[in-house]
Amino acid sequence: MEAFEGMRLDKLLANSGFGSRTEVKQLLKNGAVTVNDVRQKEAKFQIDVAQDLVEVYGESVLYEEFTYLMMNKPPGVVSATEDNWDQTVIDLLDERDRLKKLFPVGRLDKDTEGLLLISNNGVLAHNLLSPKKHVDKTYFAKIEGVVTEADITIFRDGVTISDNYTCKPAELVILQVENGVSDVEVTIQEGKFHQVKRMFEAVEKQVIYLKRLRMGALHLDETLALGEYRPLTPAELTALTTFEK
Ligand code: URA
């Protein structure tokens, strides 16, 4: 027999984006919540998350322990949960998602676009960001200057950036060079502060546009407009959490 997966009703509602525990208590008091079609006002009422049908004003609550969102990050927005000046990626979420204590898994610079994972699973975030797990990140970049075969070799051997840090081997692919601007793809294993920009600075070139395309097995869904997001599919989540040993 399956184990009974019990959880307090107020906790389940709060974790599902229906507000703080206090706001949820108000919902319960207002008679907004039913469990298996029976009105329930008791915050500590135990729910079997695998079996019980919980509804708020008739809308069923799909309980998931964690949330995983893929965003196509727009430029001009910071990868943080709060900021005194700038809009954050969390500000771009729907109200329901904003209540779920989500955070960006890793950072993209304010002017960088593209694939950003947003979750509330701290263990997954830790694993994805750990250098030991070798989660590759691939970027498309426009570079002011002509990127050469010599740069490819320097990146492959490990380029030394400011602070005297030598990066792990990175793969650089030149897509095209036109009017002194190079389109490239670069895959790095780490996520040092401004890493891609500093790698190109080390070879005396400047990144003028940067977009993340991939993180491990997770590919940016190009149908997402800048600023849009969607939940990961089960297949994406499985692929993302299958780490190298
Ligand atoms: N490298 C950078 O320089 N900036 C980013 O946003 C990501 C990687």
Side-chain angles (χ1 to χ4, degrees):
M1 210 172 70
E2 299 252 318
F4 173 71
E5 271 194 83
M7 177 179 287
R8 284 176 61 119
L9 179 56
D10 59 348
K11 185 171 179 206
L12 177 139
L13 292 170
N15 290 357
S16 304
F18 285 91
S20 63
R21 285 269 188 120
T22 317
E23 288 163 338
V24 159
K25 284 211 171 72
Q26 195 59 48
L27 272 182
L28 291 165
K29 215 168 133 198
N30 293 347
V33 183
T34 57
V35 179
N36 303 324
D37 292 326
V38 177
R39 198 162 310 286
Q40 186 52 253
K41 295 192 170 184
E42 198 61 53
K44 61 178 191 296
F45 186 82
Q46 286 290 310
I47 298 296
D48 178 347
V49 294
Q51 300 285 338
D52 291 330
L53 172 65
V54 179
E55 290 171 295
V56 177
Y57 292 120
E59 184 196 332
S60 51
V61 177
L62 288 177
Y63 177 70
E64 283 169 13
E65 191 182 6
F66 294 115
T67 298
Y68 306 92
L69 305 173
M70 174 195 296
M71 178 181 279
N72 186 1
K73 180 192 169 296
V77 171
V78 293
S79 305
T81 51
E82 281 177 353
D83 194 273
N84 287 338
W85 302 106
D86 291 308
Q87 201 178 29
T88 72
V89 290
I90 302 300
D91 294 330
L92 300 181
L93 303 179
D94 294 344
E95 198 190 347
R96 181 74 58 83
D97 288 321
R98 254 185 282 137
L99 290 165
K100 291 183 186 167
K101 300 197 173 79
L102 297 162
F103 54 85
V105 178
R107 277 166 186 263
L108 292 177
D109 295 338
K110 185 174 163 184
D111 59 353
T112 302
E113 299 177 9
L115 176 63
L116 185 68
L117 178 67
I118 297 175
S119 180
N120 46 11
N121 183 338
V123 173
L124 174 72
H126 176 82
N127 280 331
L128 281 172
L129 301 176
S130 159
K132 284 193 207 114
K133 303 283 183 182
H134 303 292
V135 177
D136 287 349
K137 290 127 205 137
T138 301
Y139 296 83
F140 169 80
K142 280 192 177 291
I143 310 294
E144 180 83 61
V146 177
V147 177
T148 62
E149 292 295 323
D151 296 330
I152 293 178
T153 308
I154 294 169
F155 277 29
R156 192 188 297 130
D157 291 345
V159 55
T160 302
I161 57 177
S162 46
D163 299 343
N164 239 356
Y165 177 78
T166 301
C167 298
K168 294 217 167 73
E171 194 191 335
L172 178 57
V173 177
I174 303 169
L175 302 174
Q176 70 163 21
V177 183
E178 219 174 49
N179 302 325
V181 173
S182 311
D183 289 356
V184 302
E185 264 189 30
V186 58
T187 301
I188 61 174
Q189 301 181 35
E190 308 135 290
K192 301 269 172 217
F193 186 60
H194 296 330
Q195 182 161 342
V196 174
K197 292 174 185 162
R198 286 158 72 202
M199 287 166 75
F200 281 98
E201 271 165 25
V203 292
E204 282 156 18
K205 294 174 186 80
Q206 199 197 342
V207 174
I208 52 177
Y209 173 83
L210 192 60
K211 173 182 178 180
R212 183 153 63 192
L213 302 174
R214 288 189 287 282
M215 187 169 172
L218 190 63
H219 291 233
L220 174 67
D221 177 346
E222 299 274 0
T223 67
L224 291 173
L226 287 170
E228 281 186 348
Y229 68 96
R230 64 158 173 80
L232 293 194
T233 64
E236 284 171 336
L237 187 59
T238 307
L240 188 68
T241 49
T242 309
F243 295 106
E244 274 180 37
K245 290 286 174 319

